Every structure is written in structure tokens, then in C-alpha cells.
Amino acid sequence: MNLDNAVVLLKKDTKTVYRDGDTVIKVFEESFSKADILNEALNHARIEETNLNIPKLKGVNMIDGKWAIFTEYIEGKTLAELMSEDPSNFEKYLELFVDLHLIVHAQRQRLLNSLKIKTARKIDESDLNATIRYELQTRLQSMPKHHKVCHGDFNPSNIIVSDNGPYIFDWAHASQGNAAADAAITYLYFKLRREDEIAESYINLYCLKSDTAKQYIMKWIPIVAATQSLRSSGDEKNLLLSWADVVEWS
Ligand SMILES: Nc1ncnc2c1ncn2[C@@H]1O[C@H](COP(=O)(O)OP(=O)(O)OP(=O)(O)O)[C@@H](O)[C@H]1O
Ligand SMILES: [Mg+2]
């Protein structure tokens, strides 16, 4: 297997995503463990068993000593591209985005990892002091236990709108649990990009359509800020750690 005829779709420090004909190849740098890649592929395969429209997983293999995940290529534009190229239809795209998030949360897949257990572990691993960690763990345990499919990184760049309808991908962080935590992660995604207006529009529409109280989502903010801080660095990490300070948001 080589990538000589492949086109780069996206390049980051830690991974490169290629298209080779009808296949997408996500190649991870050596810093990723074998378990990380197999976990992402397993999550993807488990989500394929739900009713969601997602690219089919084709395989996992090594290319030049690096792990790679192979999936079906979906022709179309990401919702992020559509939102920025066609701002006059932003409201329509936001509505589609929220509707898709609700469809994700309507799914069940009892074999996925537990959001609550994963979140508790990440709070422990965070750089927060023991007092804040204790407060966050107490808050987490008081939250209702649900079993809804949660994407874990639901944002417009992880959705492709094709002629066959929208496809959702990038299931590396999927779990089952309380959907409000998943909505809080999406809210923080926009906040971190300084897209405050979109963050508010998203959360207001999510709350309206799901009949959820906004205060309830806000209770999750410090918890998910703590967990997201493990995935970031520099200013972004400092911002997330400050948002994890429970007193700020209560
Ligand atoms: N199956 C696919 N079909 C078409 N394009 C894809 C597909 N998978 C990924 N892409 C394109 O590649 C980009 C990056 O893919 P992906 O979201 O899987 O990686 P990532 O964002 O780097 O992952 P992570 O969020 O885990 O860091 C997408 O935004 C999309 O433009
Ligand atoms: Mg992505």
C-alpha cells in the first residue's frame, strides 16, 4: 500500500487525511498508540450498527510504520464549508446541524464506552487542583445517568452534506451517556474559536428542539471543560482550565 496517487484532504501535526479514489485514509503519526487507532476504528464500527448515516469503515492497516484508518469517501462539502461559503443560509445550516445532533442522541449502542466513567477518569488526569477536581467529580456523579449515543466532537467540520444526505464522521471520541454533556462539548467548541454568537445560537436551538433547560447544559460546562483540557495546549488549555473552575459557572 502506498499513497503515491492520494490527494491530501487535511494535514495536521498529528495526522494527515488522504483521498485515494473512493477511499479516505487517515494516517496517524507515530505518537498515537495502536490502542488509540483501534479504539477509533472500533467506535466507528459500532456506530455503523446504529441508524446513522456514516461512511463505511473499510479497514485498519499500517503505511510506512504509521497506523491508518480506511473509510469510504463521501462526495460533498462539509457543513463548516457550507456555513462559511453561503452565510445567507446560515440559519438553515444551523438547524440541520442541531437536527443531526438530536438524531445522534436518539441512537442507542450499549457496547460504547460510558461517558460518565471516561469523564471521571479525565477529571482525575487533568491539571486542576484537588479541590476543583473533587467539586467536578461530585457534580458529575449527581448528573442523571443516560445511555444516549454521544459523538464527543460534534462540530460542522465532521459532517459532509452529500447528494444522499448528510454523513457524520470522526467517531474517535464517541461514548454513551448524557446528551447534555455532548451539547456542552459542541458549545465549548464554538466558544474556543471565539464564535460566541454561533455558540449561543446553537445552544438556544438545541435547548428549544430537545426541550432541555439551558441551565442544565451549563451545569456540564465546567465538567467538559476539564475533560477537553486534556486534548489541548497553550492558551486554549488555560482557557478550558479557567472554565473548569466550578465557581465561575454555578
Ligand atoms: N469519509 C470521508 N469522506 C470525505 N471527506 C472526508 C471523510 N473523512 C474525512 N474527510 C475530510 O477530511 C477532514 C478531516 O477528517 P477527520 O474529521 O476524520 O479528521 P480530524 O478532524 O483530523 O480528526 P480529529 O477531530 O479526530 O482530530 C474532514 O473535515 C473532511 O473534510
Ligand atoms: Mg474532524
Side-chain angles (χ1 to χ4, degrees), residues 112-126:
L112 287 170
N113 292 329
S114 148
L115 181 139
K116 204 165 202 169
I117 292 173
K118 193 167 129 181
T119 304
R121 175 174 52 75
K122 287 189 172 181
I123 292 171
D124 274 346
E125 287 172 3
S126 75

Side-chain angles (χ1 to χ4, degrees), residues 17-155:
V17 182
Y18 300 88
R19 174 189 177 181
D20 189 2
D22 59 2
T23 304
V24 166
I25 308 165
K26 193 166 174 180
V27 182
F28 297 82
E29 290 307 315
E30 282 98 342
S31 58
F32 282 82
S33 73
K34 195 189 296 182
D36 283 340
I37 278 67
L38 293 178
N39 180 58
E40 176 164 343
L42 181 60
N43 281 345
H44 193 112
R46 286 187 162 151
I47 297 294
E48 263 187 60
E49 292 176 358
T50 68
N51 289 326
L52 293 170
N53 223 8
I54 82 167
K56 295 265 172 296
L57 179 73
K58 292 186 165 190
V60 179
N61 214 332
M62 278 200 120
I63 302 176
D64 295 336
K66 293 175 183 171
W67 283 100
I69 297 179
F70 297 69
T71 52
E72 178 191 8
Y73 175 75
I74 305 297
E75 189 77 56
K77 286 188 175 181
T78 67
L79 202 47
E81 287 169 330
L82 291 171
M83 282 172 162
S84 73
E85 287 171 11
D86 183 17
S88 62
N89 276 314
F90 182 81
E91 297 298 324
K92 186 185 90 182
Y93 296 130
L94 187 70
E95 183 144 7
L96 171 64
F97 181 65
V98 171
D99 287 344
L100 286 172
H101 212 176
L102 295 175
I103 292 171
V104 170
H105 295 155
Q107 309 301 313
R108 300 290 179 272
Q109 170 45 289
R110 296 308 300 263
L111 295 173
L112 287 170
N113 292 329
S114 148
L115 181 139
K116 204 165 202 169
I117 292 173
K118 193 167 129 181
T119 304
R121 175 174 52 75
K122 287 189 172 181
I123 292 171
D124 274 346
E125 287 172 3
S126 75
D127 291 341
L128 293 158
N129 70 45
T131 305
I132 300 178
R133 292 201 313 273
Y134 179 89
E135 282 299 322
L136 293 177
Q137 295 287 14
T138 308
R139 184 181 291 219
L140 174 65
Q141 292 317 320
S142 74
M143 293 303 200
K145 195 164 183 231
H146 296 159
H147 299 285
K148 298 176 178 172
V149 169
C150 293
H151 183 282
D153 191 19
F154 194 80
N155 72 64

